[in-house]
Amino acid sequence: MIRALSLGLALLPALALAHAGHDHATPMESAFVQETLLLPDIPVTDTQGRSAGFVSRYGDAGPVLISFIYTECEDNCSMVKAVMKLVDDDLQAAGAPPLRLIALSVDPWRDTPQSLAAAAAEIEASDNWDWLVASRADTPVLLSAFGLKPGPVEAHEAVYLLGDFRTGRFWRIPGVPEPQALIDHARQIAP
């Protein structure tokens, strides 16, 4: 997994160089698709084994950035984790917006709080980055509420949701966004 994350981190500078000399705001802004989500308060369990309703847990959190992963993924999850790690690192700086990071497992059959904790520790995720899993029965319902197909875990898309549970407004960001663009947009929606 370290090798896959290293590859993901190594590809990010190449992605940035590919856009050198271009207006970064234009492609990123067009990738943001705003929508209103009505999410069920399905129980999710964190790496400490604490369970709480997803909406209840983050209702007062302010801006959140949600990604979808599974611990045995070696394909697009590596890039998703790399983007989230860069955002996580940037949020440690003074003046960073109050953005909460969430990694939600799409594989409740194999992911446990312990395996999520190990994955978070492996990439040195900060305490501001929650790793969560819902039950096997609830995961498809939760993914559907996010507008994701609950099909085979190997077929899940690289997508991020940036928004606020208080308003229900979220921006869907597919693919590989620039971490700084995510932080800049979070700054715009922070209270």
Side-chain angles (χ1 to χ4, degrees):
M1 183 177 295
I2 291 175
R3 188 178 73 181
L5 180 60
S6 297
L7 176 62
L9 288 171
L11 291 175
L12 283 176
L15 176 68
L17 287 175
H19 294 291
H22 296 24
D23 179 6
H24 293 288
T26 303
M28 194 63 213
E29 286 301 317
S30 65
F32 280 71
V33 177
Q34 185 178 353
E35 56 193 78
T36 301
L37 297 177
L38 298 174
L39 300 171
D41 201 22
I42 288 176
V44 290
T45 304
D46 63 22
T47 57
Q48 304 299 313
R50 295 179 301 236
S51 292
F54 193 67
V55 175
S56 299
R57 183 184 293 253
Y58 297 105
D60 294 326
V64 296
L65 177 61
I66 305 167
S67 65
F68 303 90
I69 55 96
Y70 65 101
T71 58
E72 294 187 18
C73 177
E74 295 182 10
D75 295 329
N76 65 358
C77 292
S78 297
M79 188 59 73
V80 170
K81 291 175 192 173
V83 168
M84 293 290 281
K85 174 63 176 158
L86 290 171
V87 171
D88 189 35
D89 289 347
D90 287 349
L91 290 175
Q92 307 310 309
L99 178 63
R100 189 84 188 155
L101 305 181
I102 302 167
L104 182 62
S105 172
V106 298
D107 187 4
W109 293 268
R110 292 177 284 199
D111 285 345
T112 64
Q114 297 79 15
S115 65
L116 291 171
E122 190 170 353
I123 63 172
E124 300 176 354
S126 77
D127 291 339
N128 190 50
W129 187 357
D130 295 338
W131 296 61
L132 307 169
V133 64
S135 72
R136 292 176 183 179
D138 287 339
T139 295
V141 176
L142 190 55
L143 294 179
S144 291
F146 279 117
L148 302 175
K149 297 175 186 167
V153 295
E154 297 82 11
H156 86 284
E157 305 171 41
V159 65
Y160 306 81
L161 289 166
L162 176 63
D164 191 324
F165 282 92
R166 289 176 291 197
T167 64
R169 287 187 354 196
F170 285 84
W171 287 263
R172 183 175 302 275
I173 306 113
V176 184
E178 295 177 33
Q180 189 58 51
L182 293 170
I183 292 171
D184 291 345
H185 199 74
R187 197 179 307 278
Q188 294 172 14
I189 62 174

